[in-house]
């Protein structure tokens, strides 16, 4: 977990220029995760911590031209990479922290967060902020294109019991933040936890 916003910005600024080239085969996994979110034509959705905007094209395809797609990230270099890749055509990019989103309460139907949880400085409060901007009954997808074990192996580390993405940790964390987990998948090929706003 990150210590603070500055650490996250420094980490991603150093990697922004070649981020997409490091993970060239993730597109189908993003598209499948967006499909599982169950978006409809005209929905309003946020990609929280959007990075280079890899989720924006499938999110736009899901909500159609009448929908609203937003991508928020705190690292300017990642948003610049999203623009360079042309993904700003699929959604409006916001330089914003998920800890304090510049959105009115209940403005959205859904939030998509790829690789987000491990970079939240205050996970419960930050997930509560995502809850704030989603309407009652709206949905949240916490996604990663590979599972926890595969990611740990890639990074040369072991999974610890304290991993926030472990189901016994994530389910109560989401519940304390106003979300009810509806499904949980942690396989080598992907990680996807879906939740619904409970009130």
């Amino acid at each position: 977990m990150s210590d603070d916003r500055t650490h996250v910005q420094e980490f991603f600024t150093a990697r922004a220029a070649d981020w997409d080239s490091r993970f060239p085969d993730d597109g189908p996994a993003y598209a499948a995760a967006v499909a599982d979110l169950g978006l409809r034509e005209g929905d309003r959705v946020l990609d929280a911590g959007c990075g280079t905007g890899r989720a924006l094209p499938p999110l736009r395809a899901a909500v159609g031209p009448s929908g609203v797609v937003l991508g928020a990230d705190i690292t300017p270099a990642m948003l610049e990479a999203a623009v360079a890749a042309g993904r700003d055509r699929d959604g409006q990019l916001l330089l914003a922290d998920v800890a304090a989103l510049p959105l009115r309460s209940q403005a959205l139907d859904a939030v998509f967060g790829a690789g987000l949880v491990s970079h939240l400085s205050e996970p419960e409060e930050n997930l509560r902020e995502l809850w704030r901007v989603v309407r009652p009954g709206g949905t949240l997808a916490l996604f990663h294109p590979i599972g926890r074990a595969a990611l740990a192996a890639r990074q040369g580390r072991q999974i610890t019991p304290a991993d926030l993405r472990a189901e016994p940790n994530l389910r109560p964390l989401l519940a304390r933040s106003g979300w009810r987990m509806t499904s949980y998948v942690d396989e080598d090929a992907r990680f996807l936890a879906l939740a619904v706003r409970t009130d």
Side-chain angles (χ1 to χ4, degrees):
M1 185 167 41
S2 68
D3 296 319
D4 57 19
R5 172 187 172 125
T6 301
H7 173 74
V8 171
Q9 286 178 313
E10 289 172 353
F11 178 89
F12 285 106
T13 296
R15 293 161 176 80
D18 68 344
W19 188 259
D20 286 353
S21 65
R22 294 174 61 201
F23 310 105
D25 302 322
D26 287 349
Y30 274 81
V34 168
D36 286 343
L37 191 50
L39 295 168
R40 296 170 304 220
E41 182 88 18
D43 274 355
R44 301 154 297 165
V45 60
L46 169 70
D47 182 2
C50 68
T52 62
R54 289 182 294 169
L56 298 181
L59 289 171
R60 171 55 65 197
V63 303
S66 64
V68 174
V69 177
L70 304 173
D73 203 280
I74 63 168
T75 306
M78 292 298 260
L79 295 177
E80 290 163 12
V83 171
R87 296 186 184 121
D88 57 322
R89 293 189 296 267
D90 293 305
Q92 180 182 351
L93 300 175
L94 306 171
L95 180 61
D97 191 338
V98 299
L101 291 164
L103 301 172
R104 63 180 172 80
S105 296
Q106 303 183 17
L108 304 172
D109 298 292
V111 172
F112 184 88
L116 180 68
V117 173
S118 60
H119 297 291
L120 298 177
S121 58
E122 300 289 341
E124 188 172 333
E125 291 176 24
N126 300 158
L127 289 167
R128 187 71 178 186
E129 174 67 355
L130 297 181
W131 174 92
R132 181 188 69 79
V133 299
V134 172
R135 64 169 173 78
T139 52
L140 169 69
L142 298 175
F143 165 73
H144 200 283
I146 61 175
R148 293 186 309 124
L151 181 61
R154 178 191 285 176
Q155 296 173 342
R157 60 175 178 81
Q158 297 290 319
I159 296 177
T160 69
D163 185 344
L164 287 180
R165 293 161 295 182
E167 185 173 8
N169 299 330
L170 187 58
R171 186 179 295 274
L173 171 63
L174 286 167
R176 291 192 305 271
S177 306
W179 299 97
R180 178 176 54 84
M181 187 187 292
T182 56
S183 69
Y184 180 90
V185 176
D186 183 16
E187 303 167 344
D188 281 350
R190 77 164 171 173
F191 173 91
L192 181 64
L194 298 175
V196 63
R197 179 179 155 153
T198 55
D199 60 359

